[in-house]
Amino acid sequence: MRGIISYGVHIPYNRLARSAIGEALGSGGGRGTRTVASYDEDTTTMGVEAARLARRARPDVALDDVWFATAAPAYLDKTNACAVHAALRLDSSAGAADMGGAVRSGLATLAAGLGGAGTTLVVTSDIRTGLPGSADERDGGDGAAAFVVGETDGPVLAELIGRGSATEEFLDRWRLPGEPRSQQWEERFGEGKYAPLVKQAWASALDAASIAPDQVDHAVVTGSHTRAVRSAGRKLGLAEGALVDDLSATVGNTGAAHAGVLLASALDTAEPGQVIAVVVLSDGADVLIFRATDAIADWQPQRPVAAQVDAGSDGMPYTKFLSWRDMLTVEPPRRPVPDRPSAAAAGRSEDWKYGFVGGKDRSSGMVHLPPQRKSEKGSTLDDMDPAPMADVPATVVTSTIDRVSYSPSPPIVAAVIDFDGGGRMPVELTDVAADEITIGDRVEMTFRRLYTTSGIHNYFWKARPVRVEA
């Protein structure tokens, strides 16, 4: 059977209260919150976090490919999926490819993975923003979702039973490369264009699945045109209560990742035999219909979407949000900008830099972070086993606030942490205020961007408080 084998979602910790926009600008804003990727997060790091959860749930499944879809890539020309590949420590025989540039690419990549051969990790991630006070700024959101799809000797959680698509070229939403915001044509025009397309794709998918609209138990309806999405949700003929919460009040629309985030939310609560439909309106209409298998009854989400939503903080100042989005230029740290990362050095230490793999001395059992040739205990040389530490929790031993070192968002919250089972190292903490960390706090590792210099993103690992247990 071919279908969804596992999945994971990353919802950023930081939230912007929409009311803060109106308070600062005198207009705009609204009710609820939107998620905000931290200054050290981009679509690649968020994709890694979602992929880690999907991978952690089924580490036994061998992956043939990693496909990464986003409308806001951290790099152009360079393949962003390679960083995801490296962070997961996949075999070099597994391929990696980017499939991005448009909001529609998110669901299209998932559909391609389900319809292809082999086993594929599909990662969708997006950062949405707009000019200050705009609807896009208010209604957007940041997040990522990842799905392992294909065939496996074990069970799949949901099988694809129907698919429909309808495409027409028209100008609805667009953004030129390098521009900080999207533009949209008059809303009534887009609504009129989407209506017949979603009707066609919906009918085609239902026919392929051999079901009626009222047999859909959970329906995800999302897209890049808010008005058309709301209209479509009312006209699908769904049973009462079938529409899945679109998380617009708490998360916002996460663009290319949103269909995956909402599908994961539906899978978190689905029961065996239930039908889940995903409808996306973006430059056309795409529909995927799944049926949950018996395996869903025993599925334990690594981090349920609802739990991540509840664990966020909505105390972000609007000015900080603008500075993180490069909409507000603030005085930079009065420290020398770090040297650009060395490609040669990174290539020699890929397992450490991207996979966070230390070394464990065979004779003493001591864990070294970073890995060393010679153990601190004993006199043996080059006698260590790899020690993967990315998924090992740790405890804060001591911490400090560094107001001197360079940081894109000072001050730096630093700590020394002890890993469960051995290993100690100093790390930078993230997603935490300077006065929130205490000795004894539990932390976990997270893949982040330290800084960007000369157009090169320096990725490595930081620690963050454990707020949602895996």
Side-chain angles (χ1 to χ4, degrees), residues 209 256 348 464:
R348 289 192 300 268
R464 65 181 176 192

Side-chain angles (χ1 to χ4, degrees), residues 3 21 43 70 126 152 177 216 234 264-265 294 300 310 322 330 366 369 398 418 447 462:
I21 301 174
T43 52
T70 182
D126 215 344
T152 174
V216 173
R234 296 191 297 265
S265 180
D294 291 342
Q300 296 292 328
D310 292 342
L322 291 177
V330 298
M366 183 176 181
L369 301 168
T398 187
D418 278 348
F447 189 73
K462 296 183 181 182

Side-chain angles (χ1 to χ4, degrees), residues 79-387:
T79 304
N80 297 280
C82 288
V84 181
H85 184 289
L88 297 181
R89 302 182 62 226
L90 300 181
D91 190 89
S92 60
S93 62
D98 286 357
M99 302 182 182
V103 171
R104 193 179 190 181
S105 64
L107 191 69
T109 304
L110 179 59
L114 287 162
T119 304
T120 304
L121 172 64
V122 175
V123 183
T124 61
S125 181
D126 215 344
I127 290 178
R128 309 300 296 176
T129 191
L131 293 180
S134 67
D136 283 350
E137 178 190 62
R138 177 195 67 212
D139 298 334
D142 308 329
F147 295 84
V148 177
V149 300
E151 297 178 4
T152 174
D153 293 335
V156 299
L157 301 176
E159 59 175 327
L160 181 67
I161 61 173
R163 179 185 177 187
S165 187
T167 299
E168 181 181 343
E169 165 58 23
F170 61 96
L171 193 63
D172 169 38
R173 176 177 289 274
W174 70 97
R175 173 168 54 90
L176 294 179
E179 286 193 346
R181 61 149 183 154
S182 298
Q183 299 182 65
Q184 187 173 7
W185 202 258
E186 196 273 327
E187 284 193 324
R188 288 176 297 177
F189 169 77
E191 185 177 9
K193 283 292 188 180
Y194 279 117
L197 295 174
V198 71
K199 182 178 180 180
Q200 176 186 338
W202 181 241
S204 179
L206 291 175
D207 183 63
S210 300
I211 62 171
D214 59 1
Q215 291 178 286
V216 173
D217 299 286
H218 305 280
V220 169
V221 184
T222 186
S224 56
H225 194 293
T226 303
R227 190 159 153 175
V229 167
R230 290 174 180 168
S231 177
R234 296 191 297 265
K235 298 177 181 178
L236 296 180
L238 300 168
E240 186 176 352
L243 270 178
V244 173
D245 178 9
D246 64 1
L247 302 180
S248 60
T250 53
V251 173
N253 190 315
T254 58
H258 208 54
V261 171
L262 298 184
L263 172 57
S265 180
L267 289 169
D268 282 347
T269 59
E271 299 176 359
Q274 288 190 328
V275 174
I276 303 170
V278 182
V279 182
V280 175
L281 281 66
S282 183
D283 299 323
D286 295 293
V287 180
L288 299 181
I289 300 180
F290 299 90
R291 178 175 284 115
T293 68
D294 291 342
I296 202 78
D298 299 321
W299 172 253
Q300 296 292 328
Q302 287 293 301
R303 284 208 167 104
V305 174
Q308 293 192 56
V309 171
D310 292 342
S313 170
D314 61 359
M316 161 164 280
Y318 182 54
T319 50
K320 178 172 284 190
F321 167 78
L322 291 177
S323 68
W324 284 2
R325 288 293 184 270
D326 294 326
M327 295 287 182
L328 177 65
T329 302
V330 298
E331 177 74 12
R334 295 185 178 180
R335 287 286 177 269
V337 177
D339 294 333
R340 70 177 185 174
S342 166
R348 289 192 300 268
S349 59
E350 180 180 315
D351 250 12
W352 166 245
K353 179 175 175 58
Y354 289 94
F356 200 62
V357 179
K360 186 173 184 179
D361 180 39
R362 292 191 180 100
S363 59
S364 66
M366 183 176 181
V367 176
H368 295 72
L369 301 168
Q372 306 292 326
R373 293 189 61 196
K374 186 177 184 301
S375 175
E376 290 186 24
K377 295 181 179 180
S379 58
T380 57
L381 187 67
D382 295 330
D383 190 36
M384 294 197 185
D385 290 320

